[in-house]
Amino acid sequence: MANEIVITNLYKAFGRRVKLAIKLAKQGADKAAILAQTSTILALSDISLQIKKGKIFVIIGLSGAGKSTLIRHLNRLIDPDEGQILVQGQDILKLGLQDLAKLRQTKVSMVFQNFGLFPHWNVQDNVAYGLFVKKISKNKARQAVMPWLEAVGLSNYKLKYPDELSGGMLQRVGLARAFATDSDIILMDEPFSSLDPLIRREMQEFLIAWQTKHQKTIVFITHDIREAFRLGQKIAILKASKLIQVDTPTNIQNNPANDYVARIIEDTSKMSQK
């Protein structure tokens, strides 16, 4: 199966001494030591990944691990300091503004943790935003998104505005908007984090069923290992800006790369037994 996304030797740092921070990282210094020496935050250190077409690829890590920074590189909301990113064989770091806009409109959609909705637009128009950008008429776009509103349980709320909805409903609007664009790749940054457990489980099941039917490539960010194991066909584990392990859920459970991964699995097993 072809690779949809290929990331090679990616580095990203935030601060005034980026080059020194990356140099120290290459010499083996950890994130804490680099921060102490340079007052620069090492966000990603030598990340290389291959993401297969038509699969759910989950990136997991604690707060500050670098997972949200990483996913934002895939549509160039953030540019790396070093490294290469290929999307469908195309080096996206070489794209000009016009081609980058086209990439975001046609190939790569994103569901943000903080919803990213337009407060002055109703639910239906928020979901139809990507279709409006593609110059589809408003009437056709509004009709086209109705199946997606029904799929996430919001068809009766199509004329409501974001400030009239709960956090969970807002997140479902974001999901419907990403699905409605029919992009090849969907980036999801902790999309279910604000949902209560029952709705969260329902949305996970919906996502699995939808992906199985449509065979889109999904890159999914979470800090919840149980969610990662439930959704991911392949999982990447980040810790303090570094890639710790990339494998299937079964292989990670059976062959954890180190004590850190083993503890995560052990803690998850204990929680599932309660």
Side-chain angles (χ1 to χ4, degrees):
M1 185 173 292
N3 289 320
E4 189 89 275
I5 301 169
V6 178
I7 303 166
T8 307
N9 303 128
L10 207 66
Y11 286 87
K12 184 63 183 179
F14 297 100
R16 295 183 178 181
R17 306 180 73 184
V18 167
K19 289 184 178 180
L20 178 57
I22 293 174
K23 180 180 178 181
L24 292 171
K26 291 179 178 179
Q27 293 172 351
D30 64 19
K31 185 173 183 175
I34 291 170
L35 178 61
Q37 186 171 339
T38 67
S39 297
T40 297
I41 299 171
L42 182 68
L44 297 172
S45 181
D46 196 21
I47 304 296
S48 294
L49 290 172
Q50 295 182 352
I51 299 174
K52 298 292 185 183
K53 182 178 181 180
K55 299 293 183 180
I56 300 178
F57 189 99
V58 177
I59 302 171
I60 185 169
L62 299 177
S63 178
K67 56 190 186 298
S68 291
T69 299
L70 176 56
I71 200 172
R72 281 164 170 74
H73 278 77
L74 304 184
N75 59 358
R76 283 191 55 195
L77 292 178
I78 298 176
D79 281 345
D81 296 305
E82 289 189 16
Q84 184 185 62
I85 305 169
L86 302 181
V87 174
Q88 297 179 342
Q90 182 178 41
D91 186 344
I92 66 170
L93 300 180
K94 295 180 179 179
L95 296 180
L97 291 178
Q98 186 173 354
D99 288 334
L100 180 58
K102 185 176 180 181
L103 175 84
R104 293 170 179 167
Q105 292 166 11
T106 61
K107 290 185 179 181
V108 184
S109 299
M110 188 162 188
V111 182
F112 292 95
Q113 186 177 8
N114 60 351
F115 318 127
L117 304 180
F118 298 108
H120 57 291
W121 286 13
N122 63 35
V123 165
Q124 189 175 28
D125 284 354
N126 264 291
V127 173
Y129 169 71
L131 304 183
F132 295 159
V133 171
K134 292 180 180 181
K135 308 300 183 184
I136 295 173
S137 72
K138 287 190 174 182
N139 286 338
K140 286 184 178 180
R142 286 167 177 157
Q143 286 301 312
V145 302
M146 285 308 299
W148 299 113
L149 285 170
E150 291 171 8
V152 299
L154 291 176
S155 57
N156 292 333
Y157 294 84
K158 66 179 183 179
L159 300 181
K160 298 291 186 181
Y161 288 82
D163 63 1
E164 299 177 277
L165 304 182
S166 68
M169 288 178 173
L170 292 171
Q171 200 68 301
R172 284 184 275 163
V173 175
L175 287 174
R177 180 169 64 183
F179 295 150
T181 62
D182 197 33
S183 300
D184 296 331
I185 301 166
I186 301 177
L187 310 178
M188 309 183 81
D189 189 0
E190 301 208 49
F192 305 147
S193 61
S194 65
L195 305 180
D196 65 59
L198 179 60
I199 299 299
R200 185 170 188 162
R201 183 60 181 259
E202 289 177 355
M203 293 308 299
Q204 289 167 353
E205 292 171 354
F206 168 75
L207 181 63
I208 292 169
W210 180 86
Q211 192 274 340
T212 300
K213 179 179 179 180
H214 296 277
Q215 294 293 294
K216 301 293 185 179
T217 302
I218 297 174
V219 184
F220 190 101
I221 297 292
T222 183
H223 64 272
D224 184 339
I225 189 70
R226 289 172 298 176
E227 183 168 69
F229 279 18
R230 187 174 296 137
L231 295 177
Q233 291 152 308
K234 204 85 173 276
I235 297 172
I237 300 175
L238 292 178
K239 180 187 178 187
S241 81
K242 294 182 179 180
L243 195 59
I244 303 300
Q245 187 169 4
V246 184
D247 215 325
T248 64
T250 299
N251 287 343
I252 290 174
Q253 284 182 301
N254 294 336
N255 301 289
N258 56 24
D259 290 343
Y260 174 76
V261 178
R263 285 197 304 272
I264 292 174
I265 295 169
E266 182 181 358
D267 291 345
T268 302
S269 297
K270 288 178 180 177
M271 290 179 69
S272 64
Q273 292 169 4
K274 291 182 179 180

